[in-house]
């Protein structure tokens, strides 16, 4: 946000701040919900995905188109793949012939990876689910297609973006720090959205959030699962019942733990529908109405690398490949297979403390060069129904410190 506009916003009354947010929302709506969005959303709703062979052929073609585009238009990939005979890459199965791009290499070479001038792109920031946030750029077409895919996923569960009221809990600085009023939300009327700040959800302030949610009665809730969880905990402790029941809750940015899912669905009387990678536009993994997770292979390539904790290596994106910042992106992340820990509480805490000390002392030397440390760091974040709730809360703190 422009500094002068930011100062004006900070000093303005709340009704004017709502007007400013809606005005900015109109600008974003023009950028995000253009012709490409509607055409692609219609295509997604009408397509037949019942034939896996057809979907595989589509994935292969998109993969090859993306590969050749990257080499042709990115100075980085021209050099990165200089020792690769691209004529030998004929399908997704050949992806192992390509070198892996780690996130650190990505950070160091991001400007060489871009295939358009950043001034002509749409800036986006990754959510940080798998590590530090990263600034990337999309074309307008990329942005609209990515949002169309996300809104198609939500439509599968009965929610239509821009047509139904929704509440969002995010980390945007929409409420001035020196505000005395207990109004911790602002409206983007253009897309029927009420934005709730996640910075003020203290024990004293949560009742104001609950009261406003009951008045607003959103038909969908999305955003930070940790914030929604704290509100739900307060409601259950004080036996407060919501006067509305959303179609669904769609978490973003953070890992959804079993305790989050169980409590939120019970308090708000609606399902939790998770998805992966909407922020960065990397390959989508979406949850169906039965709670199963599905890889959307028309959005990218998923390599399943066997290991004792069964991680995914998630590589590339082909749905918005014309500008996306990665092609083979080494990302240690978990799949949908639950992992059972046999640590006792005392041993777990001891291991966690040692990891924090080890990471602090040797971060620059080992974090990016020692795979086992990366695996350990991710392993303690994997949710399991066999881990007590208090231990999971400790995990959240440890995760913040390690990342």
């Amino acid at each position: 946000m422009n500094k002068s506009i930011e100062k004006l916003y900070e000093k303005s009354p709340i009704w004017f701040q709502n007007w400013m947010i809606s005005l900015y929302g109109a600008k974003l709506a023009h950028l995000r919900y253009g012709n490409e969005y509607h055409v692609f959303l219609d295509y997604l709703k009408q397509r037949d995905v019942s034939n896996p062979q057809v979907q595989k052929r589509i994935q292969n073609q998109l993969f090859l188109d993306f590969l050749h585009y990257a080499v042709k238009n990115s100075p980085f990939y021209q050099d990165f793949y200089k020792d690769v005979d691209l004529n030998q890459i004929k399908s997704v199965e050949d992806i192992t012939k390509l070198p892996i791009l780690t996130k650190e290499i990505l950070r160091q070479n991001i400007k060489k990876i871009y295939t358009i001038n950043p001034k002509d792109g749409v800036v986006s920031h990754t959510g940080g689910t798998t590590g530090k946030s990263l600034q990337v750029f999309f074309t307008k077409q990329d942005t609209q297609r990515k949002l169309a895919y996300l809104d198609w996923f939500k439509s599968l569960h009965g929610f239509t973006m821009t047509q139904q009221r929704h509440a969002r809990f995010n980390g945007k600085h929409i409420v001035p720090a020196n505000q005395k009023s207990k109004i911790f939300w602002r409206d983007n009327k253009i897309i029927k959205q009420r934005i709730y700040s996640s910075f003020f959800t203290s024990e004293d302030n949560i009742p104001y959030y609950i009261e406003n949610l009951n008045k607003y009665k959103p038909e969908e809730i999305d955003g930070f699962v940790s914030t929604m969880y704290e509100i739900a905990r307060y409601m259950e402790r004080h036996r407060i019942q919501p006067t509305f029941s959303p179609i669904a809750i769609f978490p973003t940015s953070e890992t959804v733990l079993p305790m989050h899912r169980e409590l939120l669905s019970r308090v708000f009387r609606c399902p939790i529908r998770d998805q992966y990678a909407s922020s960065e536009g990397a390959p989508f993994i979406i949850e169906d109405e039965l709670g199963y997770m599905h890889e959307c292979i028309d959005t990218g390539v998923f390599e399943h690398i066997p290991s004792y904790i069964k991680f995914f290596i998630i590589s590339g994106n082909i749905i918005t490949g014309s500008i996306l910042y990665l092609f083979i992106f080494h990302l240690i992340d978990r799949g949908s297979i639950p992992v059972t820990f046999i640590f006792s509480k005392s041993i777990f805490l001891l291991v966690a403390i040692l990891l924090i000390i080890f990471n602090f002392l040797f971060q620059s030397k080992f974090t990016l060069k020692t795979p086992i440390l990366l695996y350990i760091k991710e392993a303690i974040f994997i949710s399991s129904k066999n881990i007590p709730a208090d231990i999971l809360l400790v995990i959240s703190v440890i995760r913040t410190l390690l990342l």
Side-chain angles (χ1 to χ4, degrees):
M1 184 183 293
N2 182 283
K3 289 293 183 181
S4 58
I5 296 178
E6 187 174 328
K7 289 182 179 179
L8 173 63
Y9 181 89
E10 292 279 335
K11 296 179 180 180
S12 297
I14 292 176
W15 68 265
F16 192 74
Q17 291 176 353
N18 282 326
W19 182 84
M20 292 180 71
I21 286 178
S22 295
L23 187 63
Y24 183 66
K27 178 183 177 181
L28 291 181
H30 177 73
L31 173 67
R32 296 173 175 176
Y33 303 108
N35 183 66
E36 186 68 28
Y37 168 88
H38 294 288
V39 169
F40 194 60
L41 183 59
D42 288 342
Y43 159 74
L44 293 172
K45 290 180 177 180
Q46 296 172 13
R47 65 180 176 157
D48 180 7
V49 295
S50 61
N51 189 325
Q53 285 74 31
V54 172
Q55 291 301 302
K56 194 65 178 179
R57 285 199 296 269
I58 292 173
Q59 183 192 43
N60 281 330
Q61 188 58 56
L62 290 169
F63 165 71
L64 293 173
D65 290 345
F66 188 19
L67 171 62
H68 290 285
Y69 176 90
V71 174
K72 180 180 178 181
N73 295 279
S74 169
F76 172 81
Y77 284 113
Q78 291 171 12
D79 180 67
F80 199 57
Y81 293 156
K82 63 183 179 181
D83 298 325
V84 178
D85 182 0
L86 296 183
N87 293 323
Q88 298 300 314
I89 311 296
K90 299 180 179 179
S91 71
V92 167
E93 281 65 35
D94 296 321
I95 197 171
T96 55
K97 298 176 182 178
L98 298 172
I100 290 177
L101 172 65
T102 66
K103 197 164 188 178
E104 188 58 28
I105 295 176
L106 174 69
R107 291 182 187 282
Q108 294 173 358
N109 297 275
I110 190 67
K111 292 183 179 180
K112 294 181 180 179
I113 291 176
Y114 295 147
T115 60
I116 65 169
N117 189 324
K119 293 181 180 179
D120 299 324
V122 180
V123 66
S124 180
H125 296 84
T126 64
T129 306
T130 58
K132 299 175 183 177
S133 181
L134 183 69
Q135 178 175 282
V136 297
F137 294 91
F138 297 91
T139 64
K140 292 180 180 180
Q141 181 188 55
D142 294 338
T143 300
Q144 293 185 20
R145 285 194 163 206
K146 178 187 69 173
L147 287 173
Y149 212 97
L150 179 61
D151 290 349
W152 166 75
F153 156 66
K154 290 185 176 183
S155 73
L156 296 177
H157 300 288
F159 178 75
T160 303
M161 190 65 178
T162 73
Q163 296 183 21
Q164 294 173 284
R165 293 186 311 280
H166 66 287
R168 168 160 296 181
F169 289 87
N170 66 21
K172 303 294 184 183
H173 293 277
I174 58 171
V175 179
N178 59 354
Q179 174 182 293
K180 295 182 180 180
S181 170
K182 298 295 184 179
I183 301 176
F184 305 112
W185 49 88
R186 300 293 185 269
D187 289 332
N188 177 4
K189 295 185 180 298
I190 301 300
I191 57 173
K192 298 183 178 180
Q193 178 188 65
R194 178 158 291 179
I195 308 168
Y196 291 85
S197 173
S198 294
F199 293 113
F200 299 91
T201 50
S202 65
E203 190 78 5
D204 291 336
N205 290 335
I206 285 179
Y208 296 99
Y209 284 81
I210 297 171
E211 180 183 10
N212 188 262
L213 281 168
N214 279 332
K215 289 181 179 179
Y216 184 59
K217 301 186 188 315
E219 296 167 88
E220 177 258 27
I221 304 176
D222 63 33
F224 294 168
V225 68
S226 58
T227 302
M228 295 184 283
Y229 177 73
E230 287 304 315
I231 291 175
R233 286 183 65 199
Y234 184 97
M235 294 175 71
E236 186 159 79
R237 285 199 309 272
H238 295 273
R239 298 181 180 180
I240 300 173
Q241 293 293 324
T243 59
F244 65 98
S245 182
I247 294 170
I249 292 175
F250 299 101
T252 63
S253 300
E254 300 171 321
T255 301
V256 179
L257 300 175
M259 64 179 186
H260 296 145
R261 188 180 292 273
E262 192 276 332
L263 181 64
L264 286 169
S265 61
R266 183 173 71 247
V267 170
F268 289 102
R269 306 187 300 274
C270 71
I272 312 302
R273 297 306 180 205
D274 202 7
Q275 52 79 32
Y276 182 93
S278 67
S279 294
E280 52 270 66
F284 274 81
I285 301 175
I286 62 174
E287 183 176 348
D288 67 16
E289 66 277 6
L290 298 178
Y292 293 103
M293 303 300 290
H294 298 268
E295 299 172 356
C296 301
I297 66 171
D298 59 339
T299 67
V301 179
F302 297 83
E303 287 184 83
H304 294 234
I305 309 300
S307 73
Y308 70 98
I309 48 178
K310 302 185 186 302
F311 284 106
F312 283 162
I313 298 293
I314 299 179
S315 305
N317 179 290
I318 49 184
I319 193 173
T320 59
S322 62
I323 182 58
L324 197 62
Y325 51 93
L326 56 83
F327 185 63
I328 305 298
F329 178 21
H330 187 192
L331 179 66
I332 297 177
D333 207 352
R334 67 178 177 83
S336 58
I337 302 173
V339 175
T340 300
F341 291 92
I342 57 174
F343 297 158
S344 68
K345 184 180 294 187
S346 58
I347 293 177
F348 175 85
L349 292 175
L350 176 61
V351 170
I353 292 170
L354 290 176
L355 276 173
I356 294 171
I357 296 172
F358 184 81
N359 191 73
F360 176 78
L361 292 176
F362 303 107
Q363 185 172 18
S364 60
K365 184 175 180 181
F366 290 104
T367 299
L368 296 171
K369 295 182 180 180
T370 308
I372 188 62
L373 179 59
L374 291 172
Y375 279 102
I376 292 173
K377 284 170 64 177
E378 285 295 326
I380 65 171
F381 308 147
I382 296 180
S383 59
S384 169
K385 293 182 180 179
N386 297 321
I387 302 179
D390 55 344
I391 291 296
L392 290 174
L393 290 175
V394 173
I395 288 175
S396 298
V397 176
I398 293 171
R399 177 178 184 174
T400 303
L401 292 172
L402 284 179
L403 297 181

